[in-house]
Amino acid sequence: MRLNKNIYDDICIRKIINKIIIISLIALVISTLGCKSSSVGDKAGQYNFKQGVAELKLSLLDNAPPEKIYPNSNFKIVVEVDNPSAYDITDGRINIVGIDEKYFQVYPFEQNINFLEGRNLANPSGDKTFIEFDGTAGQLFQNAEEYTANFFLMAKYRSKVEFVDTVCISPNFYDVYDSGCKVEGKKSYSGQGAPLAVKEIEEIISPNADVEFRIMLKNVGSGKINSVTLGQARLGSEDISCQFTGDQGEKSVKFSGEKQEAVIICKHLLKGQNSYSTTLSIDFLYDYETKQQHKLRLIK
């Protein structure tokens, strides 16, 4: 049967239109996928891991130790050690403390972790490792049906934290604002990717053309900081003189159980007349410990 010319032309036009629509949709999908891939790559390349609060995490694997342990049996305690902070961990030790050896023997009580890499662009999750402890159960006391023992899983390690921010420097004491930048008296921060954090900085310009930074350093983690040592401090490309306040030493300080914070004073002689923006950078080494309570249950 021969088609009417008008109908035939209409069918041809529709086929052409459909092809154009399909080609356009394919091009749109490819373009969208390309944009998404580029966007994800850009975000990954720009993400700053050195922010917020993060510290070493400890967790026990399921059934290690078992929920029920029977007399004269062997068991394992397996600890997952995860470093989600933005800095490497060194000189780590994992201890099991508080176990009554009349009911449970665990060997060894301490194991070392020499190095765990922190989060970075090449390793966005940070390093993780597993530590095994071998356990042996003893006998229940006389006619007892069960015995529950609390113990602590403790981690001690050394790490660092780095602080970097842009500050305004104004050599003119009587004019803290000009066409260059504006001096901010105090600035607050939420953390730099570790349990030790710079929480606040106060900038003071003196009549002698000196700039002074009062830096509040604080433990924002769930564990305890034992000591902090000042590393390198720079204002732009120049070294800046810094020290802890108080009588505990210029470059290091011991944190007590009650007071987990310290103040650092940094001073620098200014040059020139106009205000300008530059970077203030300072890093700290610290010793840290954290612990968790767990249970062992011996049952008849």
Side-chain angles (χ1 to χ4, degrees):
M1 181 175 69
R2 189 173 181 179
L3 292 172
N4 181 283
K5 185 177 183 302
N6 291 335
I7 297 175
Y8 179 78
D9 291 343
D10 186 55
I11 293 173
C12 289
I13 291 171
R14 288 183 180 179
K15 286 183 176 180
I16 292 171
I17 291 173
N18 288 338
K19 286 183 179 179
I20 293 173
I21 292 173
I22 291 172
I23 292 172
S24 299
L25 288 173
I26 292 173
L28 179 62
V29 170
I30 292 173
S31 174
T32 303
L33 289 174
C35 289
K36 285 184 177 179
S37 299
S38 175
S39 176
V40 170
D42 290 343
K43 287 180 179 178
Q46 296 173 2
Y47 186 78
N48 179 20
F49 293 100
K50 296 178 180 180
Q51 59 183 340
V53 180
E55 61 183 285
L56 190 75
K57 291 182 178 179
L58 303 175
S59 58
L60 295 178
L61 261 59
D62 291 341
N63 205 41
E67 185 178 346
K68 297 178 181 179
I69 301 173
Y70 298 97
N72 301 320
S73 66
N74 298 324
F75 62 92
K76 282 187 178 293
I77 298 175
V78 182
V79 185
E80 180 182 299
V81 186
D82 184 18
N83 181 16
S85 76
Y87 309 90
D88 299 339
I89 283 174
T90 60
D91 301 327
R93 301 190 305 277
I94 307 297
N95 296 75
I96 292 180
V97 297
I99 290 181
D100 189 339
E101 294 188 8
K102 290 185 294 185
Y103 298 97
F104 300 103
Q105 294 82 44
V106 175
Y107 180 83
F109 281 111
E110 177 180 287
Q111 295 205 49
N112 295 328
I113 301 174
N114 294 324
F115 179 83
L116 280 179
E117 187 178 31
R119 298 175 68 198
N120 54 65
L121 292 177
N123 186 6
S125 298
D127 274 354
K128 180 187 296 187
T129 191
F130 296 90
I131 304 295
E132 289 190 7
F133 297 87
D134 294 314
T136 301
Q139 288 284 350
L140 285 166
F141 183 70
Q142 294 182 350
N143 298 321
E145 295 292 323
E146 67 176 76
Y147 170 76
T148 300
N150 293 322
F151 71 94
F152 288 97
L153 196 60
M154 180 177 291
K156 296 181 180 181
Y157 62 90
R158 173 167 290 186
S159 189
K160 68 182 294 187
V161 62
E162 298 172 349
F163 172 84
V164 181
D165 195 19
T166 301
V167 295
C168 177
I169 303 300
S170 179
N172 189 346
F173 174 72
Y174 299 101
D175 184 9
V176 295
Y177 176 76
D178 57 27
S179 59
C181 60
K182 182 179 180 181
V183 175
E184 298 182 55
K186 286 187 179 182
K187 298 177 73 174
S188 299
Y189 305 89
S190 60
Q192 294 80 44
L196 180 66
V198 171
K199 292 295 292 179
E200 183 180 277
I201 288 184
E202 181 180 5
E203 181 180 350
I204 302 168
I205 305 293
S206 73
N208 299 324
D210 288 340
V211 62
E212 177 179 304
F213 296 98
R214 299 182 66 87
I215 301 170
M216 170 62 74
L217 196 64
K218 190 173 183 179
N219 178 12
V220 291
S222 61
K224 184 175 73 172
I225 290 176
N226 293 317
S227 64
V228 182
T229 302
L230 278 169
Q232 187 177 46
R234 298 179 72 85
L235 187 62
S237 60
E238 297 182 291
D239 292 335
I240 184 172
S241 176
C242 299
Q243 66 179 42
F244 286 99
T245 61
D247 301 324
Q248 299 190 57
E250 294 185 351
K251 296 297 181 182
S252 63
V253 64
K254 296 285 186 182
F255 276 27
S256 65
E258 300 78 21
K259 189 178 180 181
Q260 291 277 290
E261 60 184 40
V263 175
I264 303 102
I265 304 294
C266 298
K267 292 183 179 182
H268 193 66
L269 179 64
L270 300 180
K271 301 173 183 179
Q273 296 296 322
N274 297 321
S275 66
Y276 60 96
S277 295
T278 189
T279 56
L280 174 65
S281 61
I282 184 168
D283 60 74
F284 307 90
L285 295 173
Y286 65 91
D287 294 300
Y288 192 71
E289 68 177 66
T290 182
K291 63 181 180 180
Q292 296 177 352
Q293 183 173 305
H294 297 277
K295 293 182 179 180
L296 293 176
R297 186 185 179 199
L298 183 61
I299 190 167
K300 189 173 182 180

Short mmCIF file of all heavy atoms in Angstrom, two decimals, residues 173 179 238 244:
data_model
loop_
_atom_site.label_atom_id
_atom_site.label_comp_id
_atom_site.label_asym_id
_atom_site.label_seq_id
_atom_site.Cartn_x
_atom_site.Cartn_y
_atom_site.Cartn_z
N PHE A 173 50.17 52.04 65.32
CA PHE A 173 49.39 51.77 66.52
C PHE A 173 48.13 52.63 66.60
O PHE A 173 47.11 52.20 67.13
CB PHE A 173 50.27 52.03 67.75
CG PHE A 173 49.52 51.92 69.06
CD1 PHE A 173 49.11 50.70 69.53
CD2 PHE A 173 49.25 53.06 69.81
CE1 PHE A 173 48.43 50.59 70.74
CE2 PHE A 173 48.58 52.97 71.02
CZ PHE A 173 48.17 51.73 71.48
N SER A 179 43.82 51.23 54.13
CA SER A 179 43.37 50.59 52.89
C SER A 179 43.85 49.15 52.75
O SER A 179 43.41 48.43 51.88
CB SER A 179 43.87 51.40 51.68
OG SER A 179 45.30 51.49 51.71
N GLU A 238 58.92 34.76 58.42
CA GLU A 238 59.87 35.01 59.51
C GLU A 238 59.51 34.21 60.77
O GLU A 238 58.33 34.02 61.07
CB GLU A 238 59.89 36.50 59.85
CG GLU A 238 60.39 37.39 58.74
CD GLU A 238 60.44 38.85 59.17
OE1 GLU A 238 59.36 39.45 59.37
OE2 GLU A 238 61.55 39.37 59.33
N PHE A 244 55.21 29.65 76.58
CA PHE A 244 54.06 29.46 77.46
C PHE A 244 54.13 30.45 78.62
O PHE A 244 55.21 30.82 79.07
CB PHE A 244 54.02 28.03 78.01
CG PHE A 244 53.61 27.00 77.00
CD1 PHE A 244 54.55 26.23 76.34
CD2 PHE A 244 52.26 26.80 76.71
CE1 PHE A 244 54.18 25.28 75.42
CE2 PHE A 244 51.88 25.85 75.78
CZ PHE A 244 52.84 25.09 75.13
#
